[in-house]
Amino acid sequence: MRTDGKRRNMTSLDIDMGNTRTKWRLDRSVGALPSPQLPDLNVAPSRVRVATVLRNRDVLARTIADRYGVRPEFATTAHELAGVQCGYANPDRLGVDRWLAVVAAWRCCAGPAIVISVGTAATADFVDANGRHEGGHIAPGLRLLRVALDRETADVRAKGWIRPCTLPGTDTEAAVASGTFLMLLAFAEAAVKGFAARHGYGAEVFLTGGDADLLAERLSVPVRCEPHLVLDGLEIALP
């Protein structure tokens, strides 16, 4: 009982460190920074839980220990967690961020779920009614699509960031913005329709990632925008 009491009184800093952004949460405070930066805190955490797809884990562990005086706990992908069975033959090959988001979504709805994350990459992961993770899809996100056009084509230079829309663009920048957004929208729509075609029933759709709000405005199916799914999954994996 004393151990449980100590656990409840712990102040946990939770970190979701991706390729581009680091999201963090400490009690009710949340924030985001460019990766691999860490937040400056007014309160010293007693725990640090980390989900990261970056490979320099040893360096990150030392940096966290030096900054906060706490050795971090790293989440990993497992064969099974909280009723979800991993769809990868080798769970280590599934990014821990995707895994934690899927587990958190399943915990939220306790039923079939589709998790679409739109950030640096666009990913879609599927969990059926029995909690079986089917695997998923990975594609470039909006910015990567635009960077590819900038790099690989002549006279296509999408300067700055134009809010994507589905209307035809009347200049090159707007045409790139609308074209790449339509690709992302089609990716998400196809993922949802594909799940229904395979199973004969629908699933609750969760959106997360930096461009989730943009996508939610245009999808033809109801969605739940959950910006902190990975952090929610981190709490499940490392209670």
Side-chain angles (χ1 to χ4, degrees):
M1 295 295 291
R2 287 193 300 270
T3 300
D4 291 343
K6 289 180 180 178
R7 180 75 70 180
R8 284 194 297 270
N9 291 329
M10 282 185 172
T11 304
S12 179
L13 170 62
D14 294 334
I15 296 173
D16 167 20
M17 185 171 289
N19 291 299
T20 303
R21 289 201 309 164
T22 293
K23 295 181 181 179
W24 61 271
R25 180 165 62 195
L26 181 70
D27 291 334
R28 297 182 180 180
S29 298
V30 296
L33 298 162
S35 292
Q37 294 183 26
L38 295 169
D40 294 323
L41 304 174
N42 295 323
V43 177
S46 51
R47 290 182 81 189
V48 179
R49 299 181 289 199
V50 183
T52 183
V53 296
L54 303 185
R55 296 181 180 179
N56 57 344
R57 183 173 294 186
D58 291 340
V59 173
L60 179 59
R62 290 195 296 270
T63 302
I64 289 173
D66 291 343
R67 173 75 67 89
Y68 305 118
V70 179
R71 291 187 61 81
E73 306 165 50
F74 288 92
T76 58
T77 306
H79 285 284
E80 189 277 336
L81 177 62
V84 180
Q85 301 87 47
C86 182
Y88 273 32
N90 181 358
D92 290 339
R93 300 291 294 171
L94 174 64
V96 69
D97 54 343
R98 289 171 59 197
W99 172 242
L100 295 179
V102 161
V103 170
W106 171 260
R107 173 69 65 87
C108 283
C109 66
I114 300 171
V115 177
I116 299 173
S117 177
V118 279
T120 303
T123 63
D125 281 277
F126 312 93
V127 184
D128 68 16
N130 298 313
R132 183 178 65 89
H133 172 237
E134 292 187 302
H137 307 304
I138 303 175
L142 282 177
R143 287 164 181 80
L144 284 182
L145 287 169
R146 295 184 70 179
V147 167
L149 281 173
D150 284 347
R151 185 179 64 242
E152 301 295 339
T153 59
D155 298 325
V156 176
R157 295 291 181 265
K159 300 177 182 178
W161 177 250
I162 299 174
R163 184 176 179 83
C165 72
T166 55
L167 297 175
T170 55
D171 56 42
T172 298
E173 287 76 16
V176 169
S178 62
T180 52
F181 183 63
L182 283 173
M183 292 179 70
L184 187 64
L185 189 63
F187 170 86
E189 295 276 6
V192 175
K193 292 178 181 177
F195 183 93
R198 289 192 301 275
H199 296 283
Y201 55 80
E204 189 155 5
V205 181
F206 293 78
L207 286 185
T208 192
D211 292 325
D213 289 340
L214 293 175
L215 200 61
E217 295 174 359
R218 297 291 185 176
L219 282 174
S220 62
V221 296
V223 297
R224 289 179 57 166
C225 284
E226 298 286 351
H228 304 299
L229 268 184
V230 175
L231 296 176
D232 295 339
L234 193 56
E235 291 184 352
I236 299 170
L238 300 171

